[in-house]
Structures are given as structure tokens and as C-alpha cells.
């Protein structure tokens, strides 16, 4: 398939630029095969069975966008040794060796450049996150077309976010309140919080018509041995968000590489970077159900959900969502998808 196969028309007024007043007020489109139902996020409880394991990505968004010597930079990947890769609007005007000064006086030295990843910066400070908390802003996606507002610090963050490291929110988790999480447990669902630090790949458009030529950015993730054991003993695995899905399926791919006698039921423990790119034809090894927001046309994420629930089914679902004026993208509504060969 080609990139153009995943295009669709989306009216601009359906792009959600602000969150709803209440996290759990969002609508939820349920897609199971050719069946579509209009529900609300709290109705997810109707789909929870005892023995289900619901997997969340608990990565915390850092205030990754800041000004440095007149340049707007958005950090996206920890490169180790106190360095980070960051995207910059004036990339071509900055040279290796340049020193950029943040608003609080912290100096960042450019030590490398890359057409895809931007600038690699070395920060002259002991606690970068403390610096970013002072001078940084939440890295709202460009399609919101607005600056950070005071409530974004809390609303562009899940209620269970813990380890810092993402430059974009795992947005399917934004719909959950602590009360809804407690209700999931009361229904017999077990919650597991794995970690994938979301990087630049979540926003990057696919620039090639041939999908095999698209280069995915790497993102660091971890599934502990205890978490893998819980996941492998699940009745069903419900992934909350495509970031959880990508990490789970990365661990499932590692599992399939083992000799047959050593393979586990779904996943192996995982602690490294992944650049997994899921397109139609991919064989899912870990996830049975996916809760996710609505994604951009021709995006890697729309390709992922099409691989999971079916290309024709997702086209029909998105057409329905547009007709019914669902809210799209990060602050938008969500859909509950069932794997096409398990419906």
C-alpha cells in the first residue's frame, strides 16, 4: 500500500484545539468489524471483562519547547551524556559549535545536526528538567495553532504520568480520571503502566509515497519482567493509546525472535529504543483491543489503526466520525477498536 491510500478529508473545525471541561466527557466510537456504535468514554466499563489487562503509557510530558538565542527549539529525544535532540524552526541558520542561551542563562552547545532529528544539544546544567520547568512550555502539537495556556500544564498530561521524558502526550490516556481507573479495577480489569517516551515520530508526516522508504524516529521504552508476566497471563490485552501499542508490539516482536520453546504467550521484558512501524499486513502478537484518539490523514498512526481494525473498517469509521462531528487529534474524542481477526 502507499501513503495516499491513507488520506481522507477532514474539516478544520473538527480539530480540537482545547480540552473539554471534564476529562471523562469525551465521546467514544466503538468499532468492531463492520459494526460502529456511538458511545462515551465512561462506557468503556461495559467492555471490560474480569481478567483483562489494561495497559497505559505513564510517560510524563516535559515542557520541551523553549527559546534559546532567538530560536524556538523543541526537544524530542534523550541522546545520553546530557545531550538531547531538538527540532528547530531556523535549523539552517545554526552551525555545529554554536552556543545558544536559554532565557534563564543556561547555555546549550550544538554538537551535531541531522536533517531528520534537528540539533543535538549539550546543556551546561546539572538538572535539565529543572531548567525546562522554569523556561519551557508544553509542546502542543502544531495543528492546535496556539500557544500554551495555563491549563495545558495539567490537561496535556495524564493523571497517572510519572517518569518524565515525552515531548508529546500519550493522548488516549488524557480521557481517564482517577475515578474511572478505580472503576476499571472494580470491573475486574488489571491496570499496568508501562513507559514509552514519546518522540518526534508522533508528529512527523510520511514524506514518501512508498511506505517502505519511511524512516521512523526511535523512542525509548520499558516493560519490566513483572509487567510482562501480568500481560502474558491476561485474558485480553487492552492497549490505551498507540504508544502503548507500539511498545507492546515491539516486545511481541522480540518474543517471536526466540526459539519456539522459549517463547512466552505475548511479550518478553523490554528495555531499549524501538522504531517499529506498523502497517497493514502486520501480525499483532500482544494486543487484542485498542483505545486511541482520531489521527491525522496519511499519518503513521492512521496506518497503525488501519492495520489493527481493517483498512475499510477504519475508512468507514472515520467517515462516520466526521459526519457525526467527533473531535479529532490530541484533545479530541476517542475510539475503541477490536482487532479485525478477533471480532
Amino acid at each position: 500500500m502507499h501513503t495516499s491510500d491513507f488520506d481522507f478529508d477532514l474539516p478544520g473545525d473538527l480539530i480540537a484545539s482545547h480540552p473539554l471541561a471534564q476529562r471523562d466527557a469525551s465521546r467514544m466510537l466503538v468499532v468492531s468489524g463492520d459494526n460502529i456504535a456511538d458511545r462515551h468514554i465512561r462506557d468503556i466499563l461495559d467492555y471490560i471483562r474480569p481478567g483483562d489487562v489494561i495497559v497505559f503509557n505513564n510517560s510524563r510530558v516535559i515542557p520541551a519547547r523553549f527559546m534559546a538565542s532567538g530560536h524556538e527549539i523543541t526537544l524530542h529525544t534523550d541522546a545520553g551524556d546530557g545531550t538531547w535532540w531538538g527540532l528547530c524552526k531556523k535549523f539552517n541558520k545554526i552551525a555545529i559549535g554554536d552556543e545558544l542561551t536559554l532565557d534563564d542563562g543556561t547555555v546549550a552547545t550544538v554538537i551535531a545536526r541531522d536533517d531528520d532529528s534537528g540539533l543535538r544539544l549539550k546543556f551546561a546544567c546539572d538538572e535539565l528538567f529543572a531548567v525546562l520547568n522554569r523556561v519551557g512550555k508544553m509542546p502542543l502539537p502544531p495543528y492546535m495553532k496556539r500557544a500554551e495556556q495555563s491549563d495545558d500544564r495539567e490537561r496535556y498530561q495524564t493523571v497517572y504520568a510519572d517518569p518524565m521524558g515525552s515531548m508529546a502526550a500519550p493522548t488516549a490516556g488524557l480521557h481517564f480520571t482517577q475515578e474511572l481507573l478505580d472503576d476499571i479495577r472494580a470491573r475486574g480489569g488489571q491496570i499496568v503502566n508501562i513507559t514509552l517516551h514519546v518522540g518526534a515520530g508522533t508528529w512527523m508526516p510520511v514524506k514518501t509515497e512508498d511506505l517502505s522508504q519511511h524512516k521512523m524516529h526511535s523512542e525509548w521504552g520499558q516493560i519490566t519482567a513483572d509487567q510482562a508476566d501480568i500481560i502474558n497471563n491476561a485474558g485480553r490485552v487492552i492497549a490505551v493509546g498507540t504508544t502503548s501499542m507500539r511498545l507492546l508490539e515491539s516486545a511481541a516482536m522480540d518474543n517471536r525472535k526466540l526459539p519456539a520453546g522459549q517463547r512466552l504467550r505475548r511479550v518478553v521484558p523490554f528495555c531499549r529504543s524501538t522504531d517499529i512501524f506498523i502497517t497493514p499486513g502486520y501480525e499483532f502478537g500482544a494486543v487484542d483491543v485498542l483505545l486511541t484518539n482520531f489521527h491525522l490523514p496519511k499519518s503513521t498512526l492512521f496506518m497503525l489503526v488501519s492495520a489493527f481494525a481493517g483498512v475499510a473498517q477504519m475508512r468507514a469509521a472515520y467517515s462516520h466520525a466526521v459526519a457525526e462531528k467527533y473531535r479529532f487529534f490530541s484533545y479530541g474524542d476517542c475510539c475503541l477498536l477490536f482487532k479485525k481477526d478477533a471480532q
Side-chain angles (χ1 to χ4, degrees), residues 47-322:
Y47 298 92
I48 301 295
R49 303 173 184 167
D52 285 347
V53 171
I54 302 87
V55 181
F56 291 82
N57 178 13
N58 66 356
S59 181
R60 189 172 188 83
V61 183
I62 62 176
R65 183 169 294 153
F66 57 88
M67 299 299 297
S69 298
H71 301 284
E72 183 181 90
I73 297 172
T74 304
L75 301 184
H76 62 80
T77 303
D78 184 351
D81 298 324
T83 69
W84 280 71
W85 285 101
L87 303 175
C88 180
K89 290 185 176 181
K90 300 178 181 178
F91 172 83
N92 292 327
K93 296 183 179 181
I94 302 175
I96 294 175
D98 283 356
E99 293 185 347
L100 308 178
T101 304
L102 282 64
D103 290 346
D104 70 341
T106 300
V107 174
T109 302
V110 180
I111 62 173
R113 287 164 41 104
D114 181 84
D115 288 342
D116 293 320
S117 298
L119 306 174
R120 186 173 177 180
L121 302 169
K122 176 75 172 180
F123 291 88
C125 62
D126 294 327
E127 296 290 342
L128 176 58
F129 290 162
V131 172
L132 294 176
N133 280 330
R134 290 194 297 270
V135 304
K137 296 181 179 180
M138 294 299 275
L140 298 180
Y143 47 72
M144 289 189 187
K145 297 181 179 180
R146 67 174 177 85
E148 179 198 54
Q149 297 174 352
S150 58
D151 63 342
D152 289 315
R153 286 283 174 131
E154 182 260 337
R155 288 305 304 275
Y156 196 60
Q157 203 81 265
T158 62
V159 299
Y160 47 83
D162 185 15
M164 296 184 70
S166 284
M167 60 86 70
T171 54
L174 298 179
H175 305 286
F176 289 84
T177 62
Q178 192 59 57
E179 178 187 12
L180 185 51
L181 296 173
D182 291 341
D183 289 342
I184 287 173
R185 294 186 180 96
R187 291 290 179 107
Q190 186 169 3
I191 290 175
V192 172
N193 291 325
I194 61 178
T195 303
L196 182 79
H197 290 322
V198 187
T202 190
W203 291 347
M204 288 297 181
V206 179
K207 299 178 181 178
T208 62
E209 180 62 15
D210 182 353
L211 296 185
S212 67
Q213 300 301 309
H214 177 66
K215 178 183 177 182
M216 287 287 287
H217 277 255
S218 293
E219 300 165 309
W220 183 88
Q222 182 177 40
I223 300 173
T224 68
D226 287 345
Q227 291 170 338
D229 186 58
I230 294 170
I231 292 164
N232 285 324
N233 286 286
R236 295 182 307 174
V237 170
I238 301 174
V240 176
T242 56
T243 60
S244 299
M245 163 79 86
R246 294 204 304 275
L247 181 51
L248 286 164
E249 290 301 326
S250 296
M253 290 180 68
D254 282 2
N255 186 41
R256 285 195 289 263
K257 294 175 183 177
L258 294 174
Q262 298 178 25
R263 291 175 195 166
L264 303 177
R265 185 180 172 208
R266 296 179 187 265
V267 300
V268 292
F270 191 95
C271 186
R272 61 175 175 84
S273 294
T274 176
D275 61 356
I276 188 172
F277 182 23
I278 296 175
T279 57
Y282 173 82
E283 181 183 350
F284 290 87
V287 179
D288 302 297
V289 184
L290 171 66
L291 181 81
T292 183
N293 283 18
F294 292 93
H295 304 295
L296 281 73
K298 297 195 289 187
S299 65
T300 61
L301 301 183
F302 185 57
M303 296 170 190
L304 181 154
V305 297
S306 297
F308 187 73
V311 176
Q313 288 80 2
M314 290 314 300
R315 284 191 173 279
Y318 271 50
S319 294
H320 178 89
V322 168

